[in-house]
Amino acid sequence: MVTTKQALTTLEVADWPVRVVDHFRLCILLIGLTLLGGCSGLQQQRFADDFDRAWRQGDFDSLAMSLGGSDSDPEGDLLLWWLHEAETQRLAGVLDDSLASYDQAEAEMIRRSRSGATAMLGQTVMETLVNDSAADYEPLVAESILVNTYKALTFLMEGKRADARVEFNRVDDRTRRAIDQFSESIIERRENLSTDSRAARAADNTLSDARFQQQLRQNYGDPGQWQVLSEFMVPVSTWLHGLYFMAAAQDRADLERSRVSLQRVAKILGGPPALAEDAQLAEALAAGDMAVDDVVPLVWVLYEKGLGPVPEAVSFDFALPVSSRGGFVYVPLSLPRFSQRPTAMFGAGVSTCSENFALEPMSELGAVIKTEMQARFPGVLARAVTRATVNGFLQYEASDRLGLAG
């Protein structure tokens, strides 16, 4: 994500006269944490690969037509389909259809988040054994925030500022609730392991075992060492929230919202200098030291490039004690991890009649995903170990009772 700011023409967000955008699919995280495996996963992987190839060519009109014009039901996860369809339609200028697709995606995200982590706590043994690729993908919070961000931008493209305000408020609300949501999820999953079942006790013991933790670090890495943001946020979304409430402020409260968001982005990212300038401007406006009418006309240019991170599976076997006599079985454990993809190497700039402006790097989506995954990892690990432990005990008992036939 890169940005540049300069006194060029106007502070009107809904009528940005300069729009430099190169969309190589930064925002869509695509496949989800539990895609790797099964027929459904292979279908979605092929769909994503085909979409990547078409996206790189930049033929958004044809791509939007192919996604939205098929009479047959889309293959794989509908949420994945709607996310691709919505952003492609937006770039092709089919704004009403894009908003409808984004609305479908957002409604599905809300449904899954409500029935996701908490509902999984009460799963039966058979439900626990079901491969995750057959289950609904629980979207990342970052994805939900980006959906609201792109809906807000689409409403601005249509000149619907009131609707854009609603979406930017949702961006802020989802961001503020994110850390609490992560903490509650971790506590719930840990409490679920504290049951009287043998498999649950074994899973809890495994998670606390020093040898398992060493094996985890060797095969997966240490999430505590990831380069993450000091606080969870989607910088571009929070930044756009701040710009909107500065440019479309209706009262002093709006200017205060702008100040909080822009100062938070500048503090967490540290650079480029334009972010600090935005924060200083917002602070002056919120404090009443400057009137909006006194601000030199400005234009902000947002430029996206590169390919967003995609999930991959990291698998290894660990020894699970299954009897008091020292017996154990080796069971496979599979964990999700996001891998980076290449960033477009070419630069970009903006030219006016008299000046040229180079764009400065702002943030990478990879850091956002790592920040969220680091917060969610204890819960993800607990569920994966519980599933592997249940499988291990069933394997041992079948072998013990049936011998080779088991």
Side-chain angles (χ1 to χ4, degrees):
M1 193 74 65
V2 287
T3 175
T4 188
K5 184 192 73 172
Q6 184 66 27
L8 293 176
T9 161
T10 179
L11 191 63
E12 290 291 329
V13 175
D15 302 304
W16 286 339
V18 177
R19 184 169 177 264
V20 178
V21 182
D22 177 37
H23 288 269
F24 281 108
R25 200 156 141 249
L26 174 83
C27 71
I28 308 299
L29 301 188
L30 307 181
I31 306 172
L33 298 182
T34 57
L35 184 67
L36 303 170
C39 180
S40 174
L42 291 175
Q43 288 177 337
Q44 292 180 80
Q45 184 63 62
R46 285 196 296 268
F47 166 70
D49 290 343
D50 292 342
F51 188 92
D52 274 343
R53 285 192 291 270
W55 190 275
R56 288 188 181 97
Q57 297 173 3
D59 188 1
F60 304 123
D61 292 331
S62 298
L63 195 53
M65 187 176 299
S66 66
L67 283 170
S70 176
D71 294 330
S72 60
D73 293 332
E75 292 183 345
D77 196 317
L78 280 174
L79 176 56
L80 171 67
W81 180 275
W82 286 326
L83 287 171
H84 283 81
E85 185 177 59
E87 184 60 6
T88 303
Q89 289 168 334
R90 190 181 76 86
L91 295 175
V94 190
L95 301 185
D96 289 338
D97 289 348
S98 174
L99 288 169
S101 297
Y102 269 132
D103 284 341
Q104 289 178 305
E106 184 178 17
E108 181 65 10
M109 285 179 164
I110 293 172
R111 184 192 71 79
R112 295 188 188 188
S113 66
R114 288 175 177 172
S115 62
T118 301
M120 289 175 186
L121 298 176
Q123 286 179 323
T124 65
V125 170
M126 286 306 297
E127 288 171 328
T128 302
L129 291 175
V130 172
N131 189 300
D132 268 350
S133 65
D136 281 344
Y137 163 50
E138 183 187 342
L140 298 178
V141 176
E143 289 178 286
S144 301
I145 292 172
L146 284 166
V147 165
N148 292 124
T149 302
Y150 281 94
K151 286 177 67 178
L153 293 176
T154 304
F155 281 127
L156 289 177
M157 292 170 70
E158 292 187 328
K160 298 178 180 177
R161 297 193 186 186
D163 292 324
R165 171 181 286 264
V166 171
E167 297 302 328
F168 279 126
N169 279 329
R170 288 174 178 166
V171 165
D172 187 53
D173 181 59
R174 290 188 193 279
T175 301
R176 288 188 292 103
R177 287 163 40 201
I179 297 301
D180 289 341
Q181 178 181 336
F182 298 151
S183 300
E184 290 171 2
S185 176
I186 292 169
I187 293 171
E188 287 170 347
R189 289 178 187 270
R190 293 294 297 175
E191 288 178 346
N192 184 63
L193 289 177
S194 301
T195 67
D196 293 331
S197 73
R198 185 164 59 133
R201 292 198 306 272
D204 202 13
N205 290 337
T206 297
L207 290 168
S208 304
D209 183 71
R211 289 169 298 180
F212 173 78
Q213 290 296 329
Q214 181 180 6
Q215 194 174 6
L216 177 66
R217 289 191 294 270
Q218 290 174 346
N219 290 275
Y220 185 85
D222 183 2
Q225 299 301 314
W226 290 348
Q227 295 295 316
V228 299
L229 303 176
S230 59
E231 296 179 32
F232 173 78
M233 68 183 306
V234 182
V236 65
S237 299
T238 302
W239 179 70
L240 287 170
H241 171 271
L243 288 187
Y244 172 82
F245 280 99
M246 179 166 60
Q250 297 177 356
D251 50 32
R252 186 61 56 84
D254 282 351
L255 293 173
E256 179 63 17
R257 292 188 184 96
S258 172
R259 181 195 66 79
V260 171
S261 289
L262 293 177
Q263 285 188 343
R264 184 164 181 253
V265 174
K267 176 183 177 182
I268 291 177
L269 295 185
L275 297 180
E277 295 172 10
D278 290 338
Q280 291 168 4
L281 176 59
E283 183 175 10
L285 292 171
D289 297 335
M290 179 184 296
V292 173
D293 292 339
D294 296 333
V295 177
V296 177
L298 300 168
V299 62
W300 284 265
V301 177
L302 180 65
Y303 183 90
E304 294 178 317
K305 67 176 184 178
L307 294 167
V310 293
E312 61 183 9
V314 177
S315 301
F316 60 93
D317 296 338
F318 70 94
L320 174 69
V322 291
S323 75
S324 59
R325 301 187 301 273
F328 65 89
V329 295
Y330 283 99
V331 294
L333 180 68
S334 183
L335 294 169
R337 182 172 62 189
F338 281 87
S339 61
Q340 294 292 109
R341 292 194 290 176
T343 299
M345 299 302 294
F346 55 86
V350 177
S351 298
T352 67
C353 296
S354 58
E355 294 184 77
N356 296 320
F357 304 99
L359 287 94
E360 301 173 282
M362 178 181 175
S363 69
E364 294 184 358
L365 189 59
V368 177
I369 305 309
K370 287 181 179 179
T371 303
E372 179 167 350
M373 282 300 297
Q374 187 184 73
R376 292 175 59 161
F377 186 74
V380 172
L381 178 62
R383 183 164 180 245
V385 169
T386 301
R387 182 187 304 108
T389 301
V390 171
N391 275 286
F393 273 104
L394 290 178
Q395 173 189 335
Y396 170 75
E397 290 174 357
S399 177
D400 188 48
R401 294 178 182 178
L402 302 176
L404 293 176

